[in-house]
Amino acid sequence: MKRPALSLVLIGLFSLSAVSWVVAAEKEATKSESSKAVATFSASGDRLLNAVKYLAADEQEGRGVGTKGLDRAGDYIAAQFKKLGLKTELFDGKPFQTFTMQTGAELGPKNEAALVNTGKEGKKLVLKLGTDFNTLSLGGSGKFDLPLVFVGYGITAKDEKYDDYAGIDVKDKAVIVMRHEPQQNNPHSAFNGTQTSPYAPYVRKISNAYEHGAAAVIFLTDDYDIQQRVEQARKRWLQAIDELTEATEKFKKIEKPTQAQTEEFRKESIKLTEAIGRYSKTLEDEYDPMVTFKGAGPGGESTRIPVIYVRRTALAEMAQDALGTDLAAIEREIDKGPTPHSRELKNWRLQGEVTVKRTEAQVKNVVGVLEGSGPKADETVVVGAHYDHLGYGGEGSFVPNAKEIHNGADDNGSGSAALLEVAALMAQQQGKLSRRVVFIAFTGEERGLIGSARYCKEPLYPLDKTVAMVNMDMVGRLTDNKLIIQGVDTAKEFDVIIDGLNKRFDFKLTKQPGGFGPSDHSSFYSQKVPVMHFFTGTHKEYHRPSDDVELINVDGMKRIAEMVAETTLAIAQADARPSYLESKRPAAAMGGGGNRPYFGSIPDFAQNEPGYALMGAAKDSPAEKAGMKAGDIIIKLGESRIGNLEDFDSALRKYKAGDKVVVVVKRGGKEVPLTVTLDPPR
Ligand SMILES: [Zn+2]
């Protein structure tokens, strides 16, 4: 093989350390070629398939956070690590880095609300839970006795020159917010025509209310949406009646119907009658729809302001009294411009208390270690893959209402199985490794990289001695031999390794720049650990119940596991540790992309305090230049109060590149103002 010599000459131009990489890769290549083995390592397809089958079986309940199935999957991985001879007595003698995380929300014991007229009438309209109002899981708990302000759609849209909060003070008040946005049936509307604009989602409106200082939010459904839904329901109901009429007419035409014919029509008429009953119930409900506790979305933080949904009928009397007209009329006025028509509801207050119980679950990262020996034994290479998935659906699923097991064979049953296989292959090197190799199956990835963020917060081995992190997420659907490796530009030496190895593995390789992305490697890269992320691409079963074992390409997984093992070995055995590089591709996470100006903050998902917590600031970014750093919690951006990631995103959109904005961060218990000059979107 000549060529390698060529590469040797080329590499000579770089640091010495690079040379050792090539030698390692080349030696491996020659050895395997001479022994005709495809790779230094030979993975087992059976082992891989059995692992995916176990992890993606219905018994594991889609490995949802808070399910027993996830625990079983974690125990299974731990048992495999033990069987392979990895060190597993790591956390009080166990392989589990256990911690508590929020898994969802349940309605708490106390949920009361009343609209109180404090004027001469002294009227109290008590709202009935489930009939007149519902607490929404997106909000927090709290007792309230607040003045009321109607703020239209609750939208602040700078580019569209529309702001429902302009000229009205909602600080420490409850705001009444209509769902959706102005001019929904106008294709030329500034709000994305007839499509829903980014201002419409509940979370976005709660952020906007919170930013403006509101202490509670009341949602109601806009009249336009009701008219649409009623129209549809009425059509469906009438259609069902027509179907029964037709069937009746047809039956009546039979002169002497047989018993069989009568029975058939009788059964059909029951079916059609039941359908009529169902559609008429839907129609009745659509006149003034109710939103259920989780109907506005499953998420939410305990620190959030209270959020309730109230039916229009329950608000009508107060609206008429305080606004002198009905809400539908105001809505039409707003839509004309569109022009905001926000108003205080003099003499009216919202009183009550709601409780949203955050459900929590004990979850665990599963860790196994192969120690190194020699002068570099205190340096660590991490190989990781998340083992959680979406459970029975809901948050994150592309079929959110389907209460079905999301088996997650590819996402990330494949990565977890490959992690076990890489461990099995590396275990053959037991006692010959220069650096320690740590295998981590992360939990909570689907909820925001929670497990890897937790590990990086409380690492088992120092992160400054963690020389690289190799991640696998969705490696089970190799198609046309296409493999994506992200992060090759996060260390000077990675390119050479991957190119060296791929001479043999011969994947159609896409090397994607950047250390940040939608998987656990991001948590490590934000701590300046060089990372590589292996991925076979997305597919139409992604985040659906149909991501099943039958579709897994086992041979593809086998080759990827072998390549990851060789990559890991090359890093573990190299003379010098990889030299960290700041990728030219900025954090795709918060503070970049779309039409938002670039900020450069890196989110810390393992934080539950109110505010937007940072894992760090991207190099040379506006955030870094302003002096922002890991551990800072943003609580204010300009005039906007910031309670979480959504608030920060929503507030940032109100600025443009070049704007100077004062950001207040909480640091060491103090509030520190920092001035940030925003950059153009990236
Ligand atoms: Zn995944």
Side-chain angles (χ1 to χ4, degrees):
M1 317 226 321
K2 293 251 169 300
R3 243 161 70 103
L6 173 62
S7 59
L8 254 177
V9 176
L10 276 178
I11 296 293
L13 298 171
F14 296 108
S15 69
L16 256 184
S17 64
V19 173
S20 65
W21 300 92
V22 179
V23 175
E26 294 299 331
K27 219 183 296 154
E28 300 304 332
T30 30
K31 193 166 62 188
S32 62
E33 260 146 33
S34 59
S35 58
K36 284 291 158 267
V38 179
T40 307
F41 295 114
S42 173
S44 152
D46 293 347
R47 239 186 346 228
L48 282 161
L49 182 57
N50 291 339
V52 177
K53 274 188 176 160
Y54 179 86
L55 292 165
D58 284 356
E59 287 71 41
Q60 280 32 291
E61 301 180 272
R63 305 184 308 282
V65 169
T67 66
K68 290 211 169 32
L70 178 65
D71 259 346
R72 270 193 296 276
D75 297 342
Y76 169 82
I77 292 167
Q80 302 304 315
F81 280 164
K82 195 167 179 60
K83 222 168 24 179
L84 293 167
L86 273 59
K87 194 164 107 177
T88 54
E89 298 84 34
L90 302 162
F91 306 92
D92 303 330
K94 294 210 174 70
F96 304 125
Q97 183 180 36
T98 305
F99 58 97
T100 304
M101 67 174 277
Q102 276 181 16
T103 54
E106 278 162 13
L107 194 61
K110 204 158 190 203
N111 290 278
E112 300 159 355
L115 304 170
V116 180
N117 182 298
T118 55
K120 57 187 180 326
E121 283 172 45
K123 197 170 233 181
K124 185 170 185 171
L125 306 173
V126 176
L127 304 178
K128 202 158 168 287
L129 182 67
T131 309
D132 301 319
F133 89 101
N134 261 335
T135 304
L136 296 184
S137 69
L138 285 178
S141 305
K143 221 169 164 27
F144 40 80
D145 177 358
L146 305 164
L148 280 158
V149 183
F150 172 71
V151 290
Y153 293 98
I155 289 175
T156 300
K158 224 171 94 264
D159 300 345
E160 292 78 2
K161 300 189 177 36
Y162 178 92
D163 185 1
D164 281 310
Y165 287 88
I168 195 147
D169 171 22
V170 301
K171 200 164 179 319
D172 302 327
K173 297 175 183 160
V175 291
I176 301 173
V177 178
M178 292 193 297
R179 291 193 57 203
H180 303 111
E181 61 212 7
Q183 301 184 333
Q184 293 166 70
N185 61 346
N186 173 351
H188 311 297
S189 148
F191 289 92
N192 227 1
T194 55
Q195 303 303 309
T196 301
S197 79
Y199 301 104
Y202 286 100
V203 282
R204 191 62 191 273
K205 292 187 176 191
I206 296 169
S207 288
N208 200 23
Y210 183 80
E211 285 165 50
H212 286 87
V217 177
I218 297 180
F219 279 110
L220 70 139
T221 298
D222 51 304
D223 188 57
Y224 175 80
D225 185 60
I226 288 181
Q227 296 314 326
Q228 303 305 301
R229 291 153 65 130
V230 165
E231 185 49 35
Q232 265 166 25
R234 190 178 17 235
K235 251 200 218 124
R236 194 69 205 85
W237 171 61
L238 288 172
Q239 201 183 328
I241 292 174
D242 289 347
E243 281 162 20
L244 179 61
T245 316
E246 259 162 54
T248 313
E249 293 305 324
K250 208 167 120 223
F251 178 72
K252 276 190 183 158
K253 283 205 184 89
I254 306 168
E255 225 152 282
K256 280 200 176 34
T258 64
Q259 184 169 336
Q261 286 170 323
T262 307
E263 260 313 281
E264 194 195 66
F265 171 60
R266 191 180 68 77
K267 286 193 180 106
E268 192 193 0
S269 69
I270 290 170
K271 229 177 64 204
L272 291 170
T273 314
E274 280 163 2
I276 291 170
R278 262 197 325 279
Y279 293 130
S280 91
K281 179 80 185 68
T282 310
L283 177 56
E284 184 196 8
D285 290 346
E286 295 298 12
Y287 286 135
D288 191 1
M290 175 56 95
V291 174
T292 60
F293 176 63
K294 286 190 177 170
E301 284 104 34
S302 45
T303 52
R304 223 54 181 131
I305 52 178
V307 178
I308 64 174
Y309 176 89
V310 179
R311 281 197 148 127
R312 293 174 69 91
T313 14
L315 292 167
E317 185 181 341
M318 174 183 71
Q320 192 60 47
D321 176 81
L323 306 169
T325 176
D326 66 61
L327 291 164
I330 298 187
E331 182 181 327
R332 282 192 296 277
E333 282 307 308
I334 294 174
D335 282 5
K336 277 191 193 140
T339 325
H341 278 64
S342 301
R343 300 217 341 242
E344 283 213 25
L345 282 74
K346 287 221 165 24
N347 300 330
W348 283 91
R349 300 179 74 83
L350 173 71
Q351 290 176 350
E353 179 173 1
V354 295
T355 44
V356 176
K357 235 176 54 195
R358 302 285 146 202
T359 52
E360 293 186 330
Q362 282 265 319
V363 292
K364 56 196 178 191
N365 290 330
V366 187
V367 185
V369 174
L370 286 173
E371 287 295 356
S373 53
K376 295 188 272 299
D378 65 340
E379 292 185 349
T380 299
V381 183
V382 168
V383 183
H386 76 90
Y387 72 100
D388 67 302
H389 192 49
L390 301 178
Y392 293 90
E395 199 177 340
S397 168
F398 280 122
V399 268
N401 302 322
K403 287 269 164 295
E404 258 183 271
I405 292 177
H406 288 54
N407 300 78
D410 185 31
D411 190 8
N412 191 25
S414 66
S416 310
L419 178 74
L420 290 173
E421 191 57 24
V422 173
L425 298 175
M426 297 293 293
Q428 296 162 11
Q429 303 290 320
Q430 183 96 270
K432 289 184 273 176
L433 294 169
S434 308
R435 292 183 176 86
R436 166 192 307 116
V437 182
V438 174
F439 299 87
I440 311 178
F442 299 108
T443 189
E445 189 270 356
E446 301 287 6
R447 293 292 180 96
L449 317 182
I450 306 284
S452 55
R454 172 60 59 133
Y455 179 86
C456 288
K457 218 174 196 79
E458 295 156 23
L460 188 58
Y461 303 101
L463 288 183
D464 60 354
K465 289 222 167 220
T466 298
V467 302
M469 191 273 186
V470 181
N471 191 50
M472 294 172 285
D473 191 348
M474 297 176 63
V475 293
R477 299 283 296 268
L478 188 73
T479 309
D480 305 333
N481 201 29
K482 286 191 191 123
L483 176 65
I484 300 157
I485 304 179
Q486 192 199 357
V488 180
D489 65 334
T490 65
K492 220 167 41 192
E493 300 80 1
F494 283 173
D495 224 9
V496 177
I497 300 183
I498 294 299
D499 289 351
L501 290 172
N502 200 42
K503 277 202 200 83
R504 228 166 342 99
F505 284 96
D506 202 24
F507 286 107
K508 274 192 212 136
L509 209 49
T510 303
K511 287 187 278 181
Q512 240 172 30
F516 294 108
S519 192
D520 296 301
H521 57 295
S522 276
S523 301
F524 287 80
Y525 190 61
S526 72
Q527 300 304 307
K528 306 212 179 310
V529 173
V531 297
M532 276 194 277
H533 170 55
F534 287 69
F535 175 46
T536 50
T538 192
H539 44 74
K540 60 181 178 16
E541 289 79 27
Y542 173 68
H543 279 206
R544 287 178 172 79
S546 52
D547 176 3
D548 288 322
V549 174
E550 296 70 40
L551 302 165
I552 293 294
N553 174 347
V554 177
D555 184 58
M557 278 178 68
K558 191 173 169 302
R559 291 171 58 212
I560 293 166
E562 288 162 358
M563 187 170 185
V564 169
E566 289 221 27
T567 304
T568 306
L569 183 66
I571 298 170
Q573 305 305 72
D575 299 342
R577 60 183 287 175
S579 9
Y580 172 82
L581 283 178
E582 190 79 38
S583 165
K584 300 265 168 308
R585 182 159 175 261
M590 292 319 299
N595 55 6
R596 279 180 309 258
Y598 179 53
F599 190 93
S601 61
I602 301 161
D604 174 0
F605 294 108
Q607 246 301 338
N608 284 330
E609 263 193 70
Y612 166 40
L614 303 189
M615 204 39 144
K619 193 161 178 8
D620 302 332
S621 68
E624 191 192 52
K625 287 178 195 147
M628 237 162 269
K629 51 187 179 191
D632 283 351
I633 299 179
I634 295 177
I635 54 170
K636 218 166 181 224
L637 189 148
E639 289 313 304
S640 301
R641 227 176 14 153
I642 305 296
N644 61 20
L645 207 39
E646 275 103 13
D647 297 353
F648 175 78
D649 178 44
S650 152
L652 190 61
R653 285 166 189 273
K654 292 166 187 149
Y655 295 88
K656 61 186 185 318
D659 285 355
K660 275 190 187 336
V661 56
V662 176
V663 174
V664 179
V665 299
K666 240 184 357 197
R667 184 185 288 173
K670 286 205 196 71
E671 295 192 1
V672 182
L674 301 166
T675 303
V676 180
T677 308
L678 300 169
D679 275 354
R682 293 196 186 176

